[in-house]
Amino acid sequence: MDRNLITLKSPSLILAGFGALAKMGEEAGNLEARKALLVTDKGIVDSGISAKVEKVLTDRNISVDIFDQVIPDPDIACCEKCIDQAKAGRYDLIVGVGGGSSMDIASVTSTLCTNPGTVHDYFGVNLLKKQGIPAFLVATTAGTGAEVTPNAILTDTAVRLKKGIVSPYILPRAAVVDPELTLSMPPRVTSFTGMDALTHAIESYTSMNATPLTDMYAREAIRLIGGSLRTAVARGDRRDTRYDMSIGSLYAGISLANAGVGAVHALAYPLGGQFNVPHGIANGILLPHVMEFNVPGDVVKFAEVARLLGEQVEHLSPVEAAYRSVEAVKNLLRDIDMPKTLTELNIPRSAIPEMAAASINVTRLMANNPRRMTAKDSEKVFENAF
Ligand SMILES: [Fe+2]
């Protein structure tokens, strides 16, 4: 099999590490922005993080208004409210601050200020025609990777479906990943956003669309997250650990944006859509079971995942080493106090056939999976997760 062609989609600027937020102020100054809309949620306002971002901008004589109505798994109505405010205010900079939800709403708002019509016109791939007004995305978790991915997800409540706008114009002018902003993240949020990031790294590393370039990011992401997630949950105030988590999550996001994710994310969709299970928790529960199914699809890479997660594999056969990656993830879940079964979440077993059917319909992601998965296979994986 030929290796996949290397392509790299990424924001034109990435600022990552302690001090990244201050540097963002400089960039906003370079853009000669005068009026910014900060898009976030109430939790980020209460935590004081949005005030920190606001100060960086006002110090550059940029006036700031705040839209703080972003909700988890935002729906179209939430996004339209933000777009209305942005259009009325004639801003020259949009700054999304938060997890995936706030960053996605900020990206869509930026593009709908310059493209005609409504969000409904742009669900799908490459439908946006124009660059939006400049957007900066400031990640406050480590994380969703939304600051570096060219897609934004909204819930269409009318049909109870998540819909995506996929376009290079969804990428921000600058992605800002400052670990300082994650220091006060509670352990529960650290654990499930961290598992989302680890899932991005492992799924994109073993994706059919992986390239030597995405492998480079994914491997380092697995090593960094595997080496720091336990400590980040146990001692969230450790700056070295938060740094590793932030950079690991960023690299996982770059790998995901270019290689895609697979069956874990496909199976997590119905758990989120039908039972409102938070994305990172659904991924965490499913990850080891999907990996166990996927091992025969790429023994070499799963053996490498085990090694990157710190397992001693030198004395093992390649297949034994590959299955050790599954054990490594299970041990990690135990140490960060994550739910490990769907039983713990009170999901009824009777939902399995419908969830399996829904997961197989996510063909965009299933196409990336290293082993072909049928509806029967998906049912089996769900059963193992109970
Ligand atoms: Fe994810």
Side-chain angles (χ1 to χ4, degrees):
M1 191 170 85
D2 284 344
R3 293 214 185 275
N4 291 323
L5 182 75
I6 294 174
T7 62
L8 178 64
K9 285 170 271 178
S10 96
S12 26
L13 178 67
I14 293 174
L15 302 171
F18 288 102
L21 182 61
K23 191 83 180 156
M24 184 195 85
E26 234 174 79
E27 288 303 321
N30 292 344
L31 282 177
E32 298 185 357
R34 286 283 152 260
K35 206 178 168 203
L37 178 63
L38 199 156
V39 177
T40 191
D41 63 63
K42 292 226 158 57
I44 294 294
V45 172
D46 292 344
S47 71
I49 291 176
S50 73
K52 278 186 194 163
V53 178
E54 191 178 347
K55 181 161 187 317
V56 164
L57 296 167
T58 51
D59 282 352
R60 300 270 166 183
N61 297 321
I62 299 166
S63 74
V64 179
D65 289 335
I66 296 185
F67 175 86
D68 65 359
Q69 314 285 306
V70 178
I71 50 173
D73 297 309
D75 55 14
I76 292 169
C78 168
C79 193
E80 282 174 339
K81 247 193 269 173
C82 187
I83 294 165
D84 287 347
Q85 182 172 342
K87 281 184 175 169
R90 304 186 147 274
Y91 299 95
D92 48 20
L93 177 64
I94 305 280
V95 183
V97 183
S101 303
S102 292
M103 292 196 274
D104 281 1
I105 297 287
S107 294
V108 176
T109 298
S110 133
T111 56
L112 263 291
C113 283
T114 56
N115 288 272
T118 71
V119 286
H120 293 277
D121 301 321
Y122 300 106
F123 288 122
V125 181
N126 289 336
L127 298 174
L128 289 163
K129 293 285 172 271
K130 276 192 213 154
Q131 184 86 53
I133 55 179
F136 290 171
L137 297 183
V138 182
T140 62
T141 66
T144 60
E147 70 278 10
V148 287
T149 48
N151 47 44
I153 310 288
L154 297 175
T155 303
D156 187 341
T157 41
V159 287
R160 290 184 68 215
L161 270 183
K162 292 205 170 190
K163 293 184 172 177
I165 297 177
V166 183
S167 160
Y169 298 134
I170 291 294
L171 286 166
R173 183 68 64 99
V176 182
V177 178
D178 193 328
E180 190 84 44
L181 303 180
T182 69
L183 283 168
S184 58
M185 196 176 14
R188 199 181 103 84
V189 184
T190 302
S191 60
F192 70 69
T193 52
M195 279 311 294
D196 186 25
L198 182 64
T199 306
H200 296 158
I202 294 176
E203 286 217 281
S204 59
Y205 183 51
T206 54
S207 164
M208 297 302 290
N209 283 324
T211 70
L213 183 131
T214 59
D215 284 354
M216 205 168 68
Y217 282 104
R219 264 196 229 105
E220 185 63 358
I222 296 168
R223 192 186 69 78
L224 284 168
I225 298 166
S228 60
L229 182 51
R230 284 178 175 84
T231 315
V233 174
R235 278 308 303 239
D237 54 348
R238 275 188 55 168
R239 297 171 69 84
D240 53 347
T241 303
R242 292 295 197 181
Y243 180 88
D244 284 357
M245 279 303 299
S246 287
I247 303 303
S249 157
L250 169 70
Y251 288 2
I254 296 170
S255 179
L256 140 79
N258 292 282
V261 285
V264 179
H265 274 74
L267 270 69
Y269 264 35
L271 279 172
Q274 294 171 37
F275 298 102
N276 297 319
V277 178
H279 179 67
I281 292 181
N283 281 342
I285 291 174
L286 293 166
L287 179 60
H289 301 289
V290 172
M291 285 169 70
E292 193 166 23
F293 173 82
N294 280 345
V295 160
D298 202 330
V299 167
V300 172
K301 277 196 163 172
F302 280 103
E304 178 69 0
V305 170
R307 198 184 64 76
L308 291 164
L309 289 175
E311 295 289 311
Q312 294 286 332
V313 294
E314 287 70 24
H315 60 295
L316 299 177
S317 73
V319 175
E320 284 172 329
Y323 280 108
R324 199 53 85 75
S325 67
V326 179
E327 293 314 308
V329 170
K330 285 183 178 168
N331 291 339
L332 176 60
L333 284 168
R334 182 201 60 214
D335 290 349
I336 60 172
D337 224 4
M338 289 269 291
K340 282 172 284 299
T341 64
L342 296 175
T343 314
E344 288 167 67
L345 303 181
N346 297 319
I347 310 290
R349 276 179 187 267
S350 56
I352 292 177
E354 201 187 325
M355 291 196 297
S359 72
I360 296 303
N361 280 336
V362 194
T363 48
R364 176 176 63 87
L365 301 184
M366 282 300 192
N368 298 334
N369 204 56
R371 183 177 175 189
R372 280 192 206 284
M373 191 182 270
T374 64
K376 271 271 161 282
D377 297 327
S378 174
E379 284 186 21
K380 190 98 190 58
V381 172
F382 272 120
E383 268 163 27
N384 291 341
F386 273 87

